[in-house]
Amino acid sequence: MREQVYQPEKIEKKWQQIWEEQETYKTIEDVSKPKYYTLEQFPYPSGEGLHMGHVRVYTIGDVIARFKRMKGYQVLHPMGADAFGLPAENAAIQRGVNPKEWTLKNMERIRTEQKRLGVSYDWDRYVATCLPDYYKWTQWLFLLFYERGLAYKKKAAVNWCPTCNTVLANEQVEDGRCWRCDSEVTKKELNQWFLRITDYAERLLQDLDQLEGWPEKVKMMQRNWIGKSKGAEVVFTVPTLDDAKIPVFTTRPDTLYGVTYLVLAPEHPLVPQLIKGKENEQKILQFIEDLKKVNEITRTSTEEEKVGYFTGSYAKHPLTEEDVPIWVANYVLMDYGTGAVMGVPAHDERDFHFAKKYHLPIKIVVQNQDGYPQTVEEMDQAFTEDGILVHSDRFNGLQKQEAIQTIGKYLEEIGKGKRTTTYRLRDWLISRQRYWGTPIPIVYCDTCGEVPVPLDQLPVMLPEDVTFNGKDNPLTTSESFVHTTCPKCGGHAYRETDTMDTFIDSSWYYFRYVSPHEETKPFDSKLVNKWLPVDEYIGGIEHAVLHLLYSRFFTKVLYDAGLISFQEPFKSLLTQGMVIKDGAKMSKSKGNVVSPNEIIEKYGADTGRLFILFAAPPDRDLDWSDSGVEGSHRFLNRVWRLVQQNLETLRSHPEIKVETDEEKELRRMIHLTIKRVTEDIELRNNFNTAISAVMELVNKIHSYPEKGNKGLLKQAIETVVVLLAPMTPHITEELWQMMGHDSSIHLQEWPTFNEEYLVLDEVEIAIQINGKIRGKKMIPTSYGKEEIEKAVLDDERINEWINGKQIRKVIVVPGKLVNIVIG
Ligand SMILES: [Zn+2]
Ligand SMILES: [Zn+2]
């Protein structure tokens, strides 16, 4: 028989078409089987198509989906497009193209590329967030939040990206820069929509503990972002004003003995009384007047000069009862906290500079293990590290955390304050002054004010008659959109022209996949409760505090609204590492990009998939190597030839007989390989070691003797092909068919192993040192000379006999003895 050559370009297209025609990967709703929902983060349809990072995510998800199907699960494995976003609009501004057409074209291209990878998606469930049949429900969910008091509009100083021409959420600002374009973010005072995620801060924090399948690193990032800090409200009093109270909030009650002054916001209601008749009265009144012209962002910015005045009055320290001078300064705001802060210059950087500037005393109350800082003279900045309390009366010697609790408790006992909890998390700013997003379904009526659009009037469609001038929010240029009638009174009303942050679209897409064609609600609750939470979610760590936090928030709100029965969306999370080449992440600017299409054309998708899975465990960075790709391709060729050369055996039905040592060893290897591959995929997502195990089995088959039992040889080769099926779906399907099978390999049952066959037949051999028998050791009968020598030299007991002496020679007589010559 003439051998066929492995031609991936031919077989891959063929099988992709057959799978599509036969709906091989259609989701089966079969209650008799356990469910498994595997999900990869859906891509943004940029104009550049897929990159290797995408290929990695999809391949990982696909192996899991295929493996679970073969294991007998009903599997949900969908795909879609996170299709709203700025690049579409920028293309409209720069090149005059229609954002919708641009996006749909890119979506089509990406879908084609995903299909070329042979990923087993149920394409019937494709979801695109920019289409009205999706964003109608995004609006519906916004109104649900609105109705529950979780969506509100307020005037606030917000992050503004001058390049993107829009506001950003706190989560989207990294080191003062825009997450998307890296421009420096400025502050702007605007009337904006927020979602009240802070209401969920404690639950978002607590429930992290349940997420055993999440990487510790991601949970830590969320914990830090939520930033729960315990502190205290401390009450100072003013004896000259009838013991008027000045409460201050501090996260560092442990430094209470280091307070050397208080600072009030100039607008603080006590200020007029505190300054009355004092030396600085006129100056401070003028100061208050001047500050009215300065906005609060400038006042609190780190660059702004801190200016303050002594009021002339003193407060009483709640613990020491000493007099503490009261100041006013520009950096304290009345509508933040209590409008008063305590000054602890030794242990707070801002206070340190303020005290230096105005020659206020500095008092050290925390030292590190080495007793630093001992004196104020040796300090050129505040000491803000953790340490031990000093000069703090009865609290001396306490550690910081302990002191925070103890002092807080003591304040409660003496009625001078209370312990409090604060969070760093702020409400989620979701307004965007851009076109290509979900319109916020609110109108403004002169008579009725803010009115939500009734559900039966959804979706509020994005208008087409807009102008993209690169300056104004395009929605404001559409007359047909801006003017509408009030749903309440029928009078004239204006539509909200802000659109929603695209992170809202992606906060719920995994719900939509479950019933993507549902026309009466965002999702079918019954089906969602069946399929969710997602069993394995695969995506990048860059979303740790963005998408992953927002999705958890959405899920909890939907739970509270009675729409779903679970509180966490993703049971397990796999954050894949980066794809690196020549020491850097693949990027256009570095010129080290390898395009997926190039690899598919040259070697086929299966080789690309195999290399990506084999080169590194999924959570580690993957170093791209051309020789590694070629190695993967050679291996697939080897498997191909193995099948070709044994076609006759594979198509016949030889009986399995296991008698000789070689046969026992091959049987053991078959079962051991099944065990290793199954456990590597199922328990550890270690696809790389699973592939090595299959490679070892292939080696074993090559060394299997010609006269060995054919039934066992057939079983071994079939095992190789079936175990590789989730990783390299096309070649295995082709080989499976060549072997004479009618149905798809991807519908086969995953093979099982028999523990009994894993046990090695062993024989006792004598161990000699310099010809003298020193002991005995059990060695598997199947071992060759090298394996025996290795097993003996790895034995700790035998190493003791050798006692570090040089080994001159090792003589192995299989089945009998090993003589080690030392000296
Ligand atoms: Zn930007
Ligand atoms: Zn009205």
Side-chain angles (χ1 to χ4, degrees):
M1 200 174 344
R2 223 180 116 244
E3 269 185 39
Q4 282 185 40
V5 189
Y6 174 39
Q7 287 176 293
E9 67 283 3
K10 243 170 88 185
I11 62 170
E12 293 189 350
K13 276 206 189 82
K14 178 182 88 181
W15 284 111
Q16 284 158 17
Q17 213 175 339
I18 295 174
W19 293 332
E20 196 155 339
E21 280 163 18
Q22 302 189 344
E23 299 188 322
T24 309
Y25 309 120
K26 198 174 164 61
T27 313
I28 315 245
E29 303 269 2
D30 179 352
V31 286
S32 69
K33 294 173 166 183
K35 71 93 184 175
Y36 200 89
Y37 187 175
T38 180
L39 178 68
E40 298 112 60
Q41 275 170 5
F42 62 167
Y44 175 74
S46 76
E48 283 150 25
L50 297 183
H51 56 66
M52 260 329 155
H54 291 117
V55 178
R56 193 174 188 198
V57 179
Y58 305 147
T59 306
I60 292 167
D62 195 39
V63 174
I64 296 172
R66 289 176 181 276
F67 171 77
K68 288 290 176 184
R69 272 190 216 103
M70 293 174 84
K71 284 282 274 184
Y73 287 78
Q74 42 174 341
V75 170
L76 177 59
H77 188 212
M79 186 35 73
D82 191 8
F84 272 137
L86 214 40
E89 198 164 332
N90 289 339
I93 295 164
Q94 283 150 20
R95 283 170 273 152
V97 295
N98 179 307
K100 185 174 173 185
E101 278 168 27
W102 186 87
T103 304
L104 294 182
K105 199 180 90 216
N106 291 338
M107 267 164 51
E108 191 46 45
R109 172 178 168 185
I110 284 183
R111 215 162 21 200
T112 307
E113 292 181 358
Q114 286 168 330
K115 286 182 180 173
R116 285 189 79 187
L117 291 168
V119 189
S120 63
Y121 296 127
D122 178 351
W123 289 105
D124 282 351
R125 292 172 185 256
Y126 193 83
V127 150
T129 58
C130 69
L131 299 178
D133 68 347
Y134 185 89
Y135 72 67
K136 171 179 180 176
W137 302 112
T138 306
Q139 291 171 344
W140 189 97
L141 289 166
F142 173 89
L143 293 172
L144 176 81
F145 277 62
Y146 183 80
E147 193 185 295
R148 300 180 68 79
L150 296 169
Y152 66 95
K153 200 172 191 184
K154 77 163 182 201
K155 193 165 187 169
V158 297
N159 305 303
W160 178 263
C161 175
T163 309
C164 298
N165 238 325
T166 188
V167 300
L168 300 168
N170 285 342
E171 287 81 3
Q172 293 157 2
V173 180
E174 291 158 6
D175 298 330
R177 291 177 176 277
C178 170
W179 71 290
R180 192 187 293 112
C181 71
D182 211 36
S183 302
E184 199 154 322
V185 170
T186 58
K187 290 274 182 181
K188 214 171 178 176
E189 191 122 337
L190 287 169
N191 217 356
Q192 300 286 295
W193 284 95
F194 290 84
L195 294 190
R196 217 180 284 280
I197 191 172
T198 51
D199 272 14
Y200 285 76
E202 188 60 28
R203 281 164 73 186
L204 288 167
L205 184 69
Q206 290 306 327
D207 291 353
L208 284 172
D209 296 341
Q210 297 170 18
L211 300 176
E212 283 168 18
W214 280 44
E216 201 44 54
K217 189 179 169 192
V218 175
K219 290 195 272 186
M220 195 43 82
M221 286 165 83
Q222 290 208 358
R223 276 189 200 107
N224 290 341
W225 185 257
I226 295 166
K228 180 177 183 173
S229 67
K230 293 198 171 171
E233 194 178 279
V234 185
V235 180
F236 289 74
T237 47
V238 188
T240 53
L241 288 183
D242 231 356
D243 280 341
K245 288 178 178 165
I246 303 180
V248 303
F249 173 76
T250 176
T251 55
R252 296 290 308 272
D254 57 314
T255 62
L256 195 49
Y257 285 84
V259 173
T260 57
Y261 61 95
L262 289 186
V263 186
L264 268 50
E267 302 85 350
H268 194 287
L270 281 181
V271 168
Q273 299 170 64
L274 292 169
I275 60 175
K276 201 169 170 54
K278 307 283 191 215
E279 198 189 331
N280 282 334
E281 185 175 5
Q282 286 314 311
K283 274 190 201 156
I284 293 175
L285 289 174
Q286 186 59 48
F287 180 55
I288 295 169
E289 211 41 51
D290 293 345
L291 279 177
K292 285 185 180 156
K293 294 174 209 124
V294 188
N295 74 31
E296 60 177 63
I297 299 152
T298 314
R299 275 175 62 179
T300 50
S301 92
T302 45
E303 281 98 67
E304 183 73 2
E305 175 79 13
K306 310 281 178 280
V307 182
Y309 292 95
F310 176 43
T311 58
S313 293
Y314 293 86
K316 191 161 87 179
H317 191 288
L319 300 182
T320 65
E321 305 204 338
E322 281 168 11
D323 283 345
V324 178
I326 305 173
W327 284 60
V328 290
N330 57 348
Y331 66 85
V332 182
L333 303 176
M334 196 53 223
D335 56 5
Y336 188 81
T338 59
V341 299
M342 59 188 218
V344 187
H347 305 292
D348 179 276
E349 206 52 48
R350 187 184 59 189
D351 296 350
F352 186 82
H353 290 293
F354 192 79
K356 283 276 181 193
K357 181 176 175 186
Y358 292 107
H359 310 290
L360 289 158
I362 298 173
K363 205 175 145 196
I364 296 161
V365 291
V366 182
Q367 284 174 351
N368 69 14
Q369 302 284 0
D370 305 327
Y372 174 84
Q374 191 66 240
T375 62
V376 173
E377 287 68 38
E378 63 183 316
M379 298 176 76
D380 53 8
Q381 57 182 23
F383 177 75
T384 54
E385 291 161 37
D386 289 3
I388 299 158
L389 263 62
V390 292
H391 309 302
S392 296
D393 197 11
R394 72 177 75 188
F395 305 106
N396 283 339
L398 290 182
Q399 295 281 350
K400 174 183 168 184
Q401 284 310 325
E402 205 184 347
I404 288 174
Q405 280 306 309
T406 315
I407 293 180
K409 211 170 143 215
Y410 182 69
L411 288 168
E412 283 170 13
E413 279 163 22
I414 61 169
K416 292 286 174 68
K418 58 174 193 265
R419 282 169 289 181
T420 55
T421 302
T422 54
Y423 299 88
R424 177 172 176 254
L425 186 69
R426 290 282 162 266
D427 277 342
W428 176 11
L429 168 51
I430 59 148
S431 290
R432 296 293 179 273
Q433 292 68 48
R434 301 305 303 242
Y435 169 74
W436 195 232
T438 305
I440 293 175
I442 296 284
V443 302
Y444 303 98
C445 165
D446 289 340
T447 319
C448 318
E450 187 181 288
V451 182
V453 175
L455 296 181
D456 60 10
Q457 290 177 26
L458 298 182
V460 174
M461 296 281 285
L462 270 179
E464 304 259 343
D465 57 340
V466 293
T467 312
F468 297 99
N469 58 19
K471 288 199 296 284
D472 307 307
N473 172 358
L475 280 180
T476 60
T477 68
S478 165
E479 291 291 313
S480 68
F481 182 81
V482 171
H483 300 284
T484 184
T485 46
C486 171
K488 240 186 198 166
C489 71
H492 177 260
Y494 296 94
R495 276 195 197 282
E496 171 63 65
T497 53
D498 283 353
T499 54
M500 294 183 216
D501 183 3
T502 58
F503 278 99
I504 296 210
D505 308 328
S506 56
S507 291
W508 75 279
Y509 76 107
Y510 46 92
F511 288 92
R512 184 69 183 166
Y513 282 142
V514 166
S515 49
H517 310 297
E518 174 63 58
E519 283 174 5
T520 59
K521 44 189 185 273
F523 50 80
D524 180 323
S525 293
K526 219 175 118 199
L527 286 172
V528 162
N529 287 336
K530 170 194 154 171
W531 283 107
L532 272 81
V534 172
D535 293 278
E536 188 75 77
Y537 194 25
I538 304 132
I541 192 140
E542 67 272 19
H543 289 296
V545 291
L546 290 158
H547 166 60
L548 292 171
L549 188 66
Y550 297 149
S551 296
R552 294 184 60 225
F553 167 48
F554 257 66
T555 304
K556 289 180 193 306
V557 173
L558 294 176
Y559 172 83
D560 289 352
L563 294 172
I564 57 173
S565 62
F566 52 92
Q567 297 201 49
E568 285 290 336
F570 314 123
K571 206 190 235 167
S572 181
L573 175 70
L574 198 166
T575 49
Q576 87 283 356
M578 286 187 292
V579 181
I580 285 177
K581 189 162 187 280
D582 311 324
K585 184 178 175 177
M586 280 190 188
S587 78
K588 254 193 189 164
S589 59
K590 295 214 172 64
N592 61 350
V593 172
V594 180
S595 98
N597 285 332
E598 185 186 318
I599 295 297
I600 292 174
E601 268 149 37
K602 195 164 172 197
Y603 301 100
D606 282 342
T607 291
R609 293 171 57 122
L610 187 72
F611 167 72
I612 278 182
L613 295 166
F614 184 57
D619 54 345
R620 302 272 182 79
D621 288 349
L622 182 159
D623 220 333
W624 189 268
S625 113
D626 297 333
S627 62
V629 177
E630 274 164 26
S632 294
H633 194 56
R634 273 199 305 275
F635 174 69
L636 290 183
N637 266 296
R638 211 169 165 217
V639 173
W640 179 271
R641 286 196 305 271
L642 188 64
V643 172
Q644 296 290 326
Q645 285 157 4
N646 292 285
L647 267 188
E648 217 169 301
T649 304
L650 290 165
R651 285 179 182 166
S652 59
H653 303 281
E655 205 188 323
I656 297 180
K657 269 196 206 143
V658 181
E659 282 157 1
T660 66
D661 284 349
E662 284 99 347
E663 285 159 0
K664 281 184 190 156
E665 176 56 10
L666 184 58
R667 180 178 65 187
R668 188 183 73 86
M669 276 298 286
I670 293 170
H671 287 262
L672 181 63
T673 309
I674 296 170
K675 178 182 159 79
R676 286 167 67 186
V677 174
T678 308
E679 291 176 356
D680 279 342
I681 297 179
E682 196 161 42
L683 308 178
R684 295 180 281 275
N685 291 324
N686 270 353
F687 314 113
N688 54 327
T689 50
I691 293 167
S692 327
V694 178
M695 288 175 170
E696 280 177 46
L697 179 58
V698 170
N699 286 338
K700 200 55 144 189
I701 296 170
H702 274 287
S703 65
Y704 185 66
E706 195 77 35
K707 59 181 190 330
N709 174 265
K710 294 289 180 226
L712 193 66
L713 177 67
K714 176 179 170 171
Q715 192 191 23
I717 297 174
E718 279 191 347
T719 303
V720 166
V721 176
V722 172
L723 293 182
L724 284 175
M727 304 181 242
T728 54
H730 310 88
I731 183 174
T732 49
E733 186 79 301
E734 179 76 12
L735 293 174
W736 191 248
Q737 194 201 36
M738 275 182 191
M739 291 175 188
H741 299 282
D742 295 333
S743 68
S744 169
I745 191 169
H746 303 296
L747 302 174
Q748 301 307 307
E749 260 179 50
W750 189 253
T752 54
F753 59 91
N754 187 338
E755 287 281 352
E756 212 177 288
Y757 297 147
L758 298 179
V759 184
L760 291 165
D761 264 356
E762 292 186 323
V763 62
E764 191 179 60
I765 59 163
I767 311 290
Q768 296 180 344
I769 307 258
N770 291 341
K772 213 164 130 190
I773 294 190
R774 300 301 294 266
K776 295 192 160 125
K777 185 174 171 63
M778 297 302 291
I779 296 284
T781 49
S782 58
Y783 272 21
K785 280 190 180 186
E786 269 175 39
E787 286 165 304
I788 297 174
E789 180 175 332
K790 191 174 180 301
V792 169
L793 294 181
D794 284 349
D795 190 307
E796 259 182 53
R797 195 173 40 117
I798 294 165
N799 268 300
E800 274 173 34
W801 300 333
I802 297 170
N803 197 17
K805 296 213 180 75
Q806 204 197 333
I807 298 166
R808 303 206 171 268
K809 204 175 177 186
V810 181
I811 301 149
V812 179
V813 185
K816 294 216 165 63
L817 67 83
V818 172
N819 183 19
I820 306 165
V821 184
I822 57 170

